[in-house]
Amino acid sequence: MRSFVWHPYTQMNDWEKFDVISKGKGMWLYDKQGNALMDGVASMWCNVWGHSNKELTDSIIKQTKNLQHSSLFNLTNDKAEDLAEKLVKLAPEMHRVFYSDDGSTAMEISAKMALQYWNNIGEKKTRFVSLENGYHGDTIGAMSLGYVPLFFSKFKSVLFQVLRTPTPNRYRIPKGYSFEDYQEFCLEKIEQTFSKNDDIAAFVMESGAQIAGGVVIYPKGFQKKISKMCKKHNVLLILDEIATGFGRLGSMIEYQKQESTPDIVSFGKMLSGGYLPLAATLASKKIYDSFLGEYQDMKHFFHGHTFTGNPLACATALRNISLYKKYNLISKIKKRAIQMELRIKEISSLDMVGDVRHAGMLMGIELVSDKKKKTPISPTKKLPQKIFVEAKKHGIYQRTLGPIVMLVPPLAISEKELGFLLDGTIKTIKNVSSQT
Ligand SMILES: Cc1ncc(COP(=O)(O)O)c(C=O)c1O
């Protein structure tokens, strides 16, 4: 089959062809020949209920018949209104919702909102601080905020300067530190950065865990302490819950679990159940109020997208959120998380497995070439492709993050299906280890 599609983060030379997925049902993706693959990465971490969920597709069909798109410029629509109200009720301390289409744009909006907030109140605060290896998307602003060297070094010359502080990754602590000491060190670095610079607009971090930058689950209290520090130093806290909110880490609103309070927070991915592109940036009253004034004051937010508040996506998100309650999803996730946790010992004992990091419905299995020395695997080994090919033999769609095998299934996965995913992943790692 001739293809004109250019695939993301893909060396196109390595791929003669791609499987053509033509149907999805529950946890499974089907190609044209009817071969099934379990969606082990929730179609890039966003699928909640599995594919072709009737309640979600019905709401899309119903909305499609009424209103497909209408703008939020000078107008509104009932689905965007209802969803905003629902989100503000769900997210403590949040006051208004600004819609966009994907996580990267939601983070651009977060950054612009913070910058314009300081401008609106007449303070000169223009710099950001973020955690090393944070990831906030692939647009220029989002890349600047969340610089992952492996992904973004080629664009460095055009990225804006952001101050970075270290992330407490339990598996890779610098020599001479205990994990507790290192956490303290990371927090001290933030405090020092805030103390030394009076032009910091905001601290930006993923809420609960870093995912794309290496699956680093923050130690208890880490985010809470950062939140307190931000308040103390009059620095805004921007949280990114695009990949970690809405159940992924076992909580609906992760910042609530982390006992932290953002000024601005973004959701995406699972917001629409993973069915339609939608993201939302929520702001506190303090932020929102600074944008109010006379027209000629030019305090209103200078940002907008064509599909902002798209009623189809908002209707789907509304239905998605109602299903969390109807099916008690968060407590089901907690049970599945225990099922994952019970397999950690077995996975850790595998030959190439250096570390297993897990929270809720997220597991990152870091593969290394030498377990004792924690030696990273060279990219020349083409590990991601090997894992993908091997996992397919076990009926699983896998997408690794460099040397990290990711288990990020749809949140409503059943016990049996999760067992299948765990078993297949273990077999995949064993077979790839014996070939590598
Ligand atoms: C934490 C986080 N923020 C932002 C993004 C960017 O989202 P999108 O790919 O929808 O632009 C991602 C994507 O994986 C993410 O994990």
Side-chain angles (χ1 to χ4, degrees), residues 171-172 368-376:
Y171 185 56
R172 297 198 182 274
V368 287
S369 57
D370 184 319
K371 278 178 89 141
K372 263 205 180 129
K373 292 186 189 148
K374 303 183 179 178
T375 317

Side-chain angles (χ1 to χ4, degrees), residues 38-42 44-45 210-216 243 248 340 357 361-367 387 391 396-409 421-422 425 429:
M38 175 174 280
D39 189 351
V41 290
M44 283 326 280
W45 321 343
Q210 290 184 336
I211 305 192
V215 189
V216 177
R248 178 58 64 201
M340 278 179 139
R357 301 189 277 276
M361 296 300 285
L362 165 73
M363 185 182 272
I365 306 168
E366 182 163 343
L367 304 184
I387 295 278
I396 298 169
Y397 166 41
Q398 257 293 355
R399 170 83 192 180
T400 61
L401 268 175
I404 303 178
V405 178
M406 302 290 289
L407 288 182
V408 198
L421 179 61
L422 285 157
T425 303
I429 295 173

Side-chain angles (χ1 to χ4, degrees), residues 45 102-104 135-137 206 240 242-243 269:
W45 321 343
D102 55 58
S104 307
Y135 177 83
H136 302 290
E206 286 150 273
D240 177 346
I242 287 148
K269 291 195 187 271

Side-chain angles (χ1 to χ4, degrees), residues 168 170 179-180 183-184 187 208 217-226 254 257-259:
R170 186 185 293 270
F179 184 47
E180 282 65 33
Q183 272 174 63
E184 281 313 310
L187 289 165
I217 291 139
Y218 307 139
K220 199 169 183 320
F222 183 68
Q223 189 165 318
K224 181 180 176 181
K225 286 180 186 155
I226 293 175
E254 181 62 21
K257 188 174 101 199
Q258 298 287 341
E259 299 175 63

Side-chain angles (χ1 to χ4, degrees), residues 133-153:
N133 283 313
Y135 177 83
H136 302 290
D138 278 356
T139 50
I140 301 284
M143 282 196 290
S144 308
L145 294 173
Y147 186 74
V148 179
L150 177 69
F151 303 164
F152 302 149
S153 57

Side-chain angles (χ1 to χ4, degrees), residues 98 116 120 288 290-303:
F98 200 98
Q116 200 182 322
N120 283 350
Y288 177 73
S290 77
F291 287 77
L292 304 176
E294 295 300 324
Y295 180 79
Q296 61 275 17
D297 297 342
M298 294 288 140
K299 285 188 168 180
H300 51 283
F301 192 29
F302 282 78
H303 195 93

Side-chain angles (χ1 to χ4, degrees), residues 161-232:
Q161 205 209 2
V162 168
L163 300 167
R164 279 174 230 285
T165 61
T167 306
N169 178 350
R170 186 185 293 270
Y171 185 56
R172 297 198 182 274
I173 306 167
K175 261 198 182 141
Y177 283 96
S178 69
F179 184 47
E180 282 65 33
D181 289 347
Y182 192 58
Q183 272 174 63
E184 281 313 310
F185 172 80
C186 294
L187 289 165
E188 273 164 28
K189 282 281 169 200
I190 299 172
E191 181 94 52
Q192 281 167 16
T193 309
F194 287 173
S195 302
K196 274 193 215 153
N197 302 283
D198 55 12
D199 60 348
I200 307 297
F203 187 86
V204 187
M205 69 191 288
E206 286 150 273
S207 187
Q210 290 184 336
I211 305 192
V215 189
V216 177
I217 291 139
Y218 307 139
K220 199 169 183 320
F222 183 68
Q223 189 165 318
K224 181 180 176 181
K225 286 180 186 155
I226 293 175
S227 175
K228 281 192 173 161
M229 243 185 260
C230 286
K231 301 277 169 299
K232 181 176 147 196

